[in-house]
Amino acid sequence: DLKEQLFLSYWNGKVLGYPENMIEVYIQGFNTELGAADRSEQIYRGKQAVSKLFANSDFEPVTIGMGLDPPVDPSFWNSLPSVHGFNDLRRQAGIIGATDDEELDK
């Protein structure tokens, strides 16, 4: 059912923490023959259902965004083999120089 698919898209997006505007843009642009009124109806249904979930549980809604998690330590990224290969290619191409190498190799 196409309506149920859009409802579940809202539900999943909200529970996973996507911002409201991203969910609505996704649903409004979803490739389906349902009209704008039907899409808006499913967004409304989803909002009601998710609001009820959080109101009747100990769950706290989370929204993905800056500051949600601490920044990843740059040494982690530099430990990945794919990053080493990418940085090697950049060095070979002359995109980064010796002063940049010290920062990249931390």
Side-chain angles (χ1 to χ4, degrees):
D1 179 18
L2 296 174
K3 288 183 179 182
E4 193 68 12
Q5 186 176 12
L6 294 181
F7 166 78
L8 291 174
S9 293
Y10 183 90
W11 173 274
N12 290 334
K14 198 64 178 173
V15 170
L16 290 172
Y18 286 95
E20 187 77 26
N21 62 327
M22 285 182 68
I23 300 168
E24 291 191 23
V25 166
Y26 174 79
I27 292 172
Q28 293 297 348
F30 200 81
N31 188 15
T32 178
E33 64 267 8
L34 292 176
D38 286 328
R39 293 167 194 253
S40 295
E41 178 185 327
Q42 298 316 307
I43 291 170
Y44 178 78
R45 272 187 63 218
K47 284 181 182 183
Q48 297 302 309
V50 170
S51 293
K52 187 175 181 180
L53 167 75
F54 287 118
N56 294 326
S57 71
D58 293 332
F59 299 124
E60 289 290 325
V62 174
T63 301
I64 296 170
M66 294 294 292
L68 184 61
D69 292 315
V72 177
D73 188 319
S75 64
F76 166 77
W77 296 115
N78 291 328
S79 72
L80 300 175
S82 59
V83 172
H84 283 291
F86 177 70
N87 289 339
D88 289 343
L89 290 173
R90 292 174 64 204
R91 284 184 191 99
Q92 290 171 11
I95 297 172
I96 58 175
T99 56
D100 296 317
D101 285 349
E102 294 172 9
E103 189 64 31
L104 292 172
D105 293 331
K106 286 185 180 177

